[in-house]
Amino acid sequence: MEKRKIKSVNPLRVGLAGLRLKNPVIAASGTFGYGQEYAQYMDLNRLGGIAVKGLSLKPRSGNPPPRIMETTGGMLNAVGLQNIGVEAFINEKLPFLRQYDVAVIANIYGESVGEYSKVAAKLSAASGVHALEVNVSCPNVRKGGLSFGADPKAAAEVTRRVKGETDLPVIVKLTPNVTDIVQIAQAVEKAGADAVSLINTLTGLAVDIKTRTPRLKNITGGLSGPAIKPVALRMVWQVAKSVGIPVIGMGGILTVEDALEFLIVGACAVQIGTANFINPHAMIDIIDGLEAYLEDNKLKHIDDLVGTFKT
Amino acid sequence: MHKNIFIGEICANDEVQKDHFLMKMYLPRTFGAVLPGQFVMVRIAGLTDPFLSRPLSIYSFSLEQNACVLELLYRVVGKGTQILAGLIEGSQLEVLGPLGTGYAMPDTEKNIVFIAGGIGVAPLSLLAEHLCVNSPSCGPNMIFYLGAQSSRQILGLDKLQSLCYAVHVCTDDGSFGKQGLVTDLIRKDIKKYPPGDTIIYACGPKAMLKTLNTILGGKYRCDVSLEERMACGVGACMGCAVAVKEGSGGAAYARVCCDGPVFGLNQIIWD
Ligand SMILES: Cc1cc2nc3c(=O)[nH]c(=O)nc-3n(C[C@H](O)[C@H](O)[C@H](O)COP(=O)(O)O)c2cc1C
Ligand code: FES
């Protein structure tokens, strides 16, 4: 009887920078399309949120193939932010997502500060977007992307401009390809970010020893999957103890145990990326697993776990 | 209802030619029907090395009382397929599918020409079988061109001979059939097949398809199925891009896994 009562409170519910999630499990941008692609494999209503594929002002055709390469415990990708553009997203994809009771997080990308703010403005005027996630970190596009996320001043400026265009919560997604990620996180916090998410992919390389050529046409690509988890965890831990805004953790999460590690070191929510590719049920398994963990450990609410790391 | 990740139980996994395996597995009936040209993503549950699922095209499909029976024909090319090859009867695999588009069916064409290079025989063999079963009048019109490196890489020949009016085999080293590339043979024979009365289906290495495109010169109705590295297999990651022509005369990257794997040869942009 007691248990029933507790359950009706929803022990997994999280409030994060004005964003209400029914659980802390979010599909990571670029790994879940626009939601539709996986809708036939699961009930999207079960998810805490969906961060859609990075959107730019104009459609982008992306990089020439080959774009992906398997590596030990992960993969490299150089998709090059192929997407249908913000207008087509609003007209063709949002109506589908609006049918679901799930937080829609629009991941955005621009080649200039002006582009970021235009994309942000368009999405803020549309109905059915619950938050913006500003990708200042994608390592695949030669110009733009990288420099914003690697430079505290540029990252802060993008944050400020996007904040100026929207009433939606603004999550800034950080790149791990920097010397000191804490410095960038603090800079965007100061500039008004409502939350930060990390980590994006780590820039990597794979070589074909027969032809002595790169495995990817783009030469380098972003590494994701379990191979990056320890690095991601370390960064989430460092950032969580250095900023006052909520932190969304990701990088290599496959199982509920992985997700728990991120929550323990201070992430309020987690994103699941590459795991979706090898197991379309991964997020559902993680949500069920979190609930079971709370029960097993007699925790009333997921908040009682977040940031309980003992060092 | 939502689609499942199916558990396939292997009932045979034999080396039918050097480095080439034929895997037969049982799947639940809910796996559903398969269109020739479609593929599945398979992986060994719980294994993170190799990490990604492997896309394999479907070689044969049949229904039994309580199960779907799926056959996959694959070549050992790397770590993933090496591990698959080691699986014994009774082992289980996670199977996502059937995925992707199938070949367009022939209209009234008098000549149904198949062109396969190496392991590309797998989806075409299923198509030939499908046509024989569902439109028996096709049988006498079906001509199969099968290319392989050597006699040791010829796959599924008996089945093709029982399905098709004629099967022409060629090998790079001349150890079986004619010596040369399958496209050399097509270059010679194409005169026999007038474009308006012919449909061509092809699957094989990129170089073969590219040469075929030059030979056909855009005049034929020709469907090809493509292979590309894949991560998700369902259209979510954009990892499996192929350059195609767009209606307006432009170019775009399509996804092999869900916009294909079957494309009109004339749609594809060969750099
Ligand atoms: C194929 C692919 C495409 C991605 N595209 C985007 C993107 O458009 N925007 C973005 O912010 N992150 C993108 N990412 C990064 C992921 O959202 C995530 O940060 C990263 O993959 C680490 O998490 P994981 O190990 O769980 O995949 C992409 C990742 C992959 C594998
Ligand atoms: S393999 Fe992911 S989109 Fe095709």
Side-chain angles (χ1 to χ4, degrees):
Chain A
M1 280 287 105
E2 273 279 311
K3 256 186 195 161
R4 278 256 166 84
K5 247 190 222 155
I6 293 168
K7 260 202 174 141
S8 67
V9 179
N10 185 4
L12 293 184
R13 154 166 248 128
V14 285
L16 188 156
L19 184 64
R20 289 228 293 258
L21 307 175
K22 66 167 88 74
N23 64 60
V25 179
I26 302 166
S29 175
T31 67
F32 210 67
Y34 303 103
Q36 226 161 344
E37 291 80 357
Y38 278 110
Q40 43 181 337
Y41 294 96
M42 73 179 77
D43 180 4
L44 300 181
N45 290 311
R46 297 254 357 242
L47 304 179
I50 297 173
V52 300
K53 176 67 190 169
L55 298 164
S56 48
L57 192 56
K58 295 269 144 46
R60 288 182 63 97
S61 57
N63 287 330
R67 291 177 170 185
I68 55 174
M69 182 64 205
E70 182 179 60
T71 60
T72 307
M75 62 179 277
L76 290 168
N77 92 80
V79 168
L81 289 163
Q82 178 173 354
N83 78 96
I84 58 173
V86 66
E87 306 266 2
F89 170 75
I90 292 169
N91 297 326
E92 294 160 26
K93 305 293 177 184
L94 257 187
F96 171 82
L97 287 167
R98 275 200 294 264
Q99 302 169 61
Y100 294 92
D101 173 27
V102 61
V104 173
I105 300 171
N107 183 282
I108 66 171
Y109 164 78
E111 289 194 353
S112 63
V113 178
E115 257 182 56
Y116 274 107
S117 40
K118 279 187 198 137
V119 179
K122 283 184 196 287
L123 288 163
S124 306
S127 94
V129 177
H130 302 95
L132 300 180
E133 181 176 57
V134 185
N135 178 9
V136 291
S137 47
C138 192
N140 293 333
V141 179
R142 289 214 177 80
K143 29 180 198 170
L146 183 61
S147 57
F148 288 110
D151 170 16
K153 279 205 201 86
E157 197 198 344
V158 173
T159 308
R160 211 173 292 117
R161 290 284 295 276
V162 169
K163 274 298 282 181
E165 296 290 344
T166 188
D167 294 326
L168 295 170
V170 172
I171 304 160
V172 179
K173 181 160 174 184
L174 305 177
T175 174
N177 303 308
V178 294
T179 313
D180 182 6
I181 198 164
V182 170
Q183 193 191 5
I184 312 284
Q186 288 171 333
V188 301
E189 177 182 32
K190 236 179 167 171
D194 299 292
V196 287
S197 57
L198 63 152
I199 61 172
N200 210 312
T201 55
L202 282 151
T203 307
L205 175 68
V207 178
D208 181 335
I209 57 165
K210 278 195 204 123
T211 58
R212 303 183 200 175
T213 54
R215 296 282 197 172
L216 300 176
K217 188 79 175 186
N218 187 58
I219 306 177
T220 60
L223 183 64
S224 65
I228 70 170
K229 197 189 79 175
V231 178
L233 259 179
R234 183 266 294 177
M235 289 185 164
V236 167
W237 169 62
Q238 284 181 321
V239 169
K241 57 181 186 165
S242 320
V243 296
I245 51 179
V247 175
I248 302 172
M250 79 192 92
I253 299 176
L254 284 189
T255 63
V256 66
E257 289 82 8
D258 298 331
L260 286 163
E261 285 190 70
F262 279 86
L263 296 169
I264 290 167
V265 302
C268 304
V270 290
Q271 291 189 10
I272 316 298
T274 307
N276 297 311
F277 302 156
I278 65 166
N279 175 14
H281 285 178
M283 290 193 284
I284 303 294
D285 294 345
I286 290 169
I287 294 163
D288 291 342
L290 287 177
E291 201 153 358
Y293 179 89
L294 292 187
E295 258 186 51
D296 291 348
N297 290 276
K298 309 215 161 32
L299 294 167
K300 285 208 185 69
H301 197 274
I302 194 80
D303 286 346
D304 301 337
L305 178 72
V306 170
T308 55
F309 189 39
K310 304 169 201 158
T311 47
Chain B
M1 256 323 280
H2 292 106
K3 276 201 210 166
N4 277 315
I5 303 159
F6 295 97
I7 303 294
E9 185 172 325
I10 297 172
C11 51
N13 190 23
D14 303 317
E15 187 162 19
V16 287
Q17 283 282 29
K18 186 176 185 306
D19 291 336
H20 290 77
F21 285 75
L22 180 63
M23 178 186 283
K24 187 172 173 181
M25 68 168 92
Y26 288 119
L27 286 159
R29 278 293 292 247
T30 46
F31 182 76
V34 163
L35 301 173
Q38 286 189 305
F39 67 99
V40 288
M41 298 285 283
V42 300
R43 71 188 305 274
I44 300 170
L47 210 64
T48 47
D49 187 28
F51 184 64
L52 297 173
S53 306
R54 290 294 182 273
L56 295 174
S57 58
I58 299 169
Y59 175 61
S60 94
F61 173 79
S62 59
L63 291 172
E64 282 183 10
Q65 210 161 37
N66 299 312
C68 293
V69 185
L70 200 67
E71 281 187 314
L72 306 171
L73 189 62
Y74 60 98
R75 185 159 74 105
V76 174
V77 284
K79 200 160 51 178
T81 40
Q82 187 85 58
I83 292 177
L84 284 182
L87 295 177
I88 54 166
E89 208 183 304
S91 312
Q92 295 190 328
L93 280 177
E94 285 181 356
V95 181
L96 200 65
L99 300 168
T101 56
Y103 293 104
M105 292 297 126
D107 290 329
T108 52
E109 287 91 349
K110 282 220 191 67
N111 308 297
I112 303 171
V113 179
F114 301 86
I115 304 165
I119 198 75
V121 70
L124 293 179
S125 181
L126 178 62
L127 177 62
E129 201 175 352
H130 181 91
L131 290 177
C132 278
V133 173
N134 295 298
S135 353
S137 62
C138 284
N141 302 334
M142 294 182 353
I143 299 155
F144 209 108
Y145 289 85
L146 179 61
Q149 276 171 347
S150 79
S151 62
R152 307 191 65 185
Q153 268 108 41
I154 295 168
L155 302 160
L157 184 59
D158 292 349
K159 184 155 141 189
L160 294 175
Q161 281 170 335
S162 74
L163 295 169
C164 299
Y165 172 73
V167 182
H168 303 290
V169 184
C170 49
T171 50
D172 298 1
D173 63 0
S175 54
F176 194 99
K178 291 211 172 69
Q179 188 192 348
L181 298 173
V182 69
T183 41
D184 297 338
L185 202 54
I186 292 295
R187 197 176 282 118
K188 262 196 248 148
D189 280 7
I190 195 69
K191 295 186 286 294
K192 297 188 205 164
Y193 311 116
D197 225 3
T198 302
I199 182 161
I200 300 174
Y201 298 106
C203 184
K206 277 213 178 90
M208 179 194 109
L209 298 177
K210 206 169 153 177
T211 309
L212 184 64
N213 183 53
T214 314
I215 296 171
L216 299 185
K219 294 194 288 268
Y220 285 81
R221 191 174 162 210
C222 176
D223 261 5
V224 299
S225 52
L226 300 181
E227 287 189 357
E228 190 50 70
R229 291 181 204 154
M230 292 184 189
C232 70
V234 300
C237 74
M238 307 279 164
C240 59
V242 56
V244 295
K245 294 168 195 159
E246 276 210 310
S248 52
Y253 286 114
R255 294 161 298 183
V256 173
C257 69
C258 61
D259 301 317
V262 177
F263 292 90
L265 181 62
N266 302 330
Q267 266 180 284
I268 299 167
I269 298 172
W270 303 96
D271 46 16

